[in-house]
Structures are given as C-alpha cells and as structure tokens.
C-alpha cells in the first residue's frame, strides 16, 4: 500500500476504533487469535479495549500475517478518548520481506483543549541495504499558532529538516526551540 493511501486511512481507523470502545464503567476486554492462512503461513492478532468510569476509553489492535516464505506484514492501530474530551489515534504497517527489504509506514493524530497534532512518516530499506525515510508533522496550539515541518533521511546523505511557524492570523513567526 502506498504511504499516501495508508495515511488517508488514519481518520477512518480512529472513527472505527473509538466507536467500538467499551462503554461500561471500568470495562476491559481482550481478545487474541492465531490460525493458519491460505498463503501457507499464519495470521495472528489481538484486540484490547477499555473504558474508565469518567468517560475515557481506549482500543488497540494488531494483525500479523506471514506467508511461510519469510515475508511478514504487521498492521496495528489504536485510539483513545479522555474524560476531558481529548482524543487521538495511530496506525502503522511494518513489512519484512524474505529478501531483507523492509518498510514501515505510520501516523498519528491527537487533539484536545491545548491544540492538535498530526504526523505521518515512512522508512524503507532495500534488499541491498539502502535506507531512506521521511516524516511530516503539523500542529496547532490552543492560541491558533501553527507548525508545519518535514524531515527526510537518506543513508549516506544524512538528515534534512524544514519547518515553518505561523500565528493565528497566518503571519510567519519564529519557531520555538
């Protein structure tokens, strides 16, 4: 799955997971499974969720699938809501291939009374050891100030970062360190 498409799923994961959270006071549930799959490997998963007495709750899950040939993909996600109205979600997919290549894509988003943040990134390693990755992040503070940043990494070339900050009116301001 291409990173752009994967990150578009993050809001859907958050909505589905938050809707499925247990609602009983102090409830907690956990499920696990493992079974053979049609690819000649196994599929395993787990799901856990809970709710507190003050309206907060969480749900998280993971599904890992192997094909019996050394290729494994693991997808995970989670969501929470706090009793104060804060909420967030994350999703990730990690793939390890029999040829030694690997990739990870992931993102998260959270919001509450102090602002919001959204970040997504990916990193990959080819079978011959070339590594590269990138991450983009945006955040908005309670006062309306915003941050937009991007970081890239390429093995042998190093890290590159750009970031800009704006006030609530859209004027450029220095980014706090």
């Amino acid at each position: 799955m291409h990173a752009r498409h994967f990150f578009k799923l993050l809001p859907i994961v958050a909505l589905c997971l938050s809707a499925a959270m247990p609602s009983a006071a102090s409830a907690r549930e956990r499920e696990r499974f493992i079974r053979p799959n049609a690819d000649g490997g196994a599929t395993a998963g787990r799901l856990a969720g809970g709710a507190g007495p003050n309206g907060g709750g969480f749900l998280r899950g993971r599904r890992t699938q192997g094909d019996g040939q050394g290729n494994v993909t693991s997808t995970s996600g989670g969501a929470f809501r706090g009793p104060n109205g804060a909420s967030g979600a994350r999703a990730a997919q990690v793939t390890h291939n029999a040829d030694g290549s690997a990739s990870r894509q992931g993102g998260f988003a959270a919001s509450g009374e102090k602002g919001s943040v959204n970040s997504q990134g990916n990193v990959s390693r080819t079978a011959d050891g070339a590594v590269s990755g990138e991450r983009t992040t945006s955040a908005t503070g309670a006062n309306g100030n915003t941050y937009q940043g991007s970081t890239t990494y390429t093995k042998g070339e190093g890290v590159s970062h750009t970031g800009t900050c704006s006030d609530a009116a859209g004027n450029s301001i220095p980014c706090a360190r």
Side-chain angles (χ1 to χ4, degrees):
M1 178 183 304
H2 192 276
R4 282 186 309 222
H5 302 295
F6 180 76
F7 299 131
K8 290 178 182 177
L9 293 177
L10 186 60
I12 296 167
V13 169
L15 179 63
C16 293
L17 291 176
S18 63
M21 287 183 196
S23 59
S26 300
R28 202 150 217 217
E29 297 289 331
R30 182 177 291 176
E31 295 290 331
R32 293 177 183 259
F33 72 89
I34 186 166
R35 63 177 179 258
N37 62 39
D39 295 329
T43 300
R46 64 180 186 229
L47 180 67
N54 297 322
F58 76 95
L59 190 67
R60 66 178 178 259
R62 176 178 304 274
R63 179 178 181 267
T64 302
Q65 182 170 331
D67 65 2
Q69 305 298 312
N71 303 300
V72 178
T73 298
S74 183
T75 305
S76 64
F80 76 90
R81 70 170 176 254
N84 60 356
S87 63
R90 66 158 195 87
Q93 184 174 50
V94 178
T95 301
H96 294 275
N97 299 308
D99 66 1
S101 62
S103 64
R104 182 191 187 281
Q105 303 171 52
F108 69 89
S111 63
E113 64 184 34
K114 295 190 178 196
S116 62
V117 63
N118 182 316
S119 184
Q120 51 257 253
N122 63 74
V123 63
S124 63
R125 180 185 69 223
T126 62
D128 62 1
V131 178
S132 64
E134 63 183 350
R135 174 159 294 278
T136 59
T137 302
S138 62
T140 302
N143 60 3
N145 291 354
T146 62
Y147 165 79
Q148 301 283 331
S150 176
T151 303
T152 60
Y153 170 78
T154 303
K155 183 178 178 180
E157 296 178 24
V159 176
S160 174
H161 176 76
T162 60
T164 60
C165 295
S166 302
D167 64 18
N171 301 309
S172 181
I173 59 174
C175 293
R177 297 248 177 219

